[in-house]
Amino acid sequence: MPAVPAVPAVPAVPPPTGREVLPTGDGVRLRARLRCLRHRSVLVPLTAAVVLVAGTGGWYAAGGGGRSTTAPGGDGSPGEGVAPLARSLHLPWPREGQASVAVEGIGSLGTRGEQKPVPIASVTKVMTAYVILQDHPMRADAPGATVVADQRAADESYSSVETTAPVLAGREYTQRRLLELMMVPSGNNVARLLARWDAGDEKAFVAKMNRTAAGLGMRATTYTGVSGMEASTRSTSADQLTLARAAMKDPAFRQIVAVASVTAPGAGVTFRNTNKLLGHDGVIGLKTGSSTPAGGKLVWATRQKIAGADRLVLGVVLHQRAGTTPAEGSAAAHEVSRALIAALRAELPAAANRA
């Protein structure tokens, strides 16, 4: 995997006070210092929990009731059961919601929580980015194609109901910078801009997303929008695991989700990555999400040396502290993920040597 250059961290902009905030988005911060305009995120009602998943292969461990399930399988392909070495691990699985973990070249380490199609909020943007990169491939470190921001994307730059990132109508942006603005601060307006640029309109792009999902074998997934605002966009952890594996094969995608901060050109605003685990314990991505109804969720990717090989480990926690504030849910998802990663780093090498 190409090394991802370190990006200097910048101070996070404090959120506005005096109100409860959050959408399908991922954090609260001032969106611009232009003419006193600022971005605010507020509650966006969803009807069910949001699934976030991680995986390096098409590992499938379906089940519910808090149990890890096993199915016939082989070497990281769909249908693979829980890897034998998982039995010797003592992972701190969350007591609520869902969680899944898998390791490149080893397989699934298990799944906890009921698996059913549920709204996936901002994790939707993983598929949006994947389709964009399939249609417009980029080399590692390359800027990609040139995209001109339209008036709609500019008008949607500052919203009271969703997370956005400032863009200026008529300004040229690189494909890479727009993908960063979509994935790092979770800009919904940028996701829609990229969809229109790629397919002419959002409806046509959503059709591409669903065709891509079907092609990847994501049978329980339905996309109805490109940003995650729509509660009708639903998937399962198994399907999102398949997508995560496919997306992380792309060097440009890996670089984008590992970016620590991104500046909106012409707006003078720098956003930190909403993934607070990034840069710690080998974490190199991947996507956050939170809302009051769905709770907090985090798809994470980390690198770890196991049995002499550098392995990609992917995990997901979702539906943490649902019904509380987005900040509480997000904090819980980060904490559960941090505990899982710490346990894996402590136990997985020895377990692999015993296997």
Side-chain angles (χ1 to χ4, degrees):
M1 174 179 293
V4 178
V7 180
V10 298
V13 180
T17 59
R19 69 185 69 204
E20 185 181 46
V21 288
L22 189 250
T24 69
D26 311 292
V28 181
R29 35 178 56 81
L30 297 179
R31 287 310 198 218
R33 300 181 182 93
L34 302 174
R35 302 182 62 180
C36 298
L37 287 173
R38 65 185 179 185
H39 173 273
R40 304 179 305 280
S41 46
V42 300
L43 297 179
V44 173
L46 298 180
T47 58
V50 176
V51 167
L52 304 180
V53 179
T56 54
W59 297 295
Y60 190 103
R67 296 175 299 168
S68 176
T69 59
T70 305
D75 57 356
S77 58
E80 182 186 17
V82 176
L85 64 77
R87 299 185 182 93
S88 64
L89 297 175
H90 300 87
L91 298 182
W93 296 103
R95 296 180 180 179
E96 61 180 311
Q98 300 181 31
S100 299
V101 177
V103 184
E104 175 188 29
I106 292 177
S108 171
L109 298 186
T111 291
R112 292 296 189 278
E114 183 181 4
Q115 298 287 291
K116 62 180 181 180
V118 292
I120 57 173
S122 289
V123 174
T124 299
K125 295 184 180 77
V126 176
M127 178 60 87
T128 303
Y130 181 72
V131 172
I132 290 292
L133 288 169
Q134 290 290 296
D135 289 351
H136 307 275
M138 292 168 47
R139 299 188 312 275
D141 299 317
T146 298
V147 183
V148 178
D150 58 20
Q151 188 63 51
R152 179 177 172 184
D155 291 343
E156 294 174 348
S157 288
Y158 305 97
S159 170
S160 61
V161 296
E162 61 179 335
T163 52
T164 61
V167 294
L168 305 176
R171 185 184 181 99
E172 292 185 348
Y173 295 86
T174 66
Q175 176 184 343
R176 177 179 293 273
R177 182 55 57 90
L178 289 178
L179 285 168
E180 291 171 348
L181 288 171
M182 180 180 73
M183 297 298 282
V184 174
S186 207
N188 289 350
N189 62 320
V190 177
R192 294 188 289 265
L193 169 62
L194 284 168
R196 293 191 296 273
W197 168 69
D198 175 88
D201 62 59
E202 293 167 39
K203 183 177 180 180
F205 190 86
V206 170
K208 284 188 177 187
M209 296 170 74
N210 284 306
R211 287 196 298 270
T212 301
L216 289 172
M218 299 167 63
R219 297 181 181 87
T221 296
T222 301
Y223 291 101
T224 61
V226 304
S227 69
M229 278 285 290
E230 304 79 8
S232 51
T233 289
R234 292 173 176 254
S235 186
T236 64
S237 62
D239 278 6
Q240 291 299 308
L241 181 70
T242 298
L243 175 58
R245 179 198 186 196
M248 288 298 285
K249 290 179 180 179
D250 189 311
F253 180 89
R254 292 198 302 270
Q255 288 183 330
I256 289 163
V257 297
V259 167
S261 65
V262 59
T263 299
V269 184
T270 298
F271 300 99
R272 285 183 63 88
N273 199 308
T274 55
N275 181 359
K276 294 179 175 60
L277 303 187
L278 191 67
H280 303 282
D281 292 329
V283 174
I284 57 173
L286 198 139
K287 190 72 187 76
T288 63
S290 59
S291 71
T292 291
K297 47 269 185 195
L298 177 62
V299 182
W300 48 264
T302 183
R303 303 294 307 189
Q304 185 171 352
K305 187 75 72 175
I306 303 169
D310 188 31
R311 301 287 187 184
L312 179 65
V313 185
L314 291 158
V316 58
V317 297
L318 60 98
H319 208 199
Q320 303 300 301
R321 298 300 304 278
T324 65
T325 67
E328 288 181 72
S330 179
H334 278 83
E335 188 58 34
V336 169
S337 297
R338 185 181 290 109
L340 282 169
I341 292 169
L344 288 167
R345 294 181 75 81
E347 297 188 31
L348 195 50
N353 288 332
R354 291 193 299 268

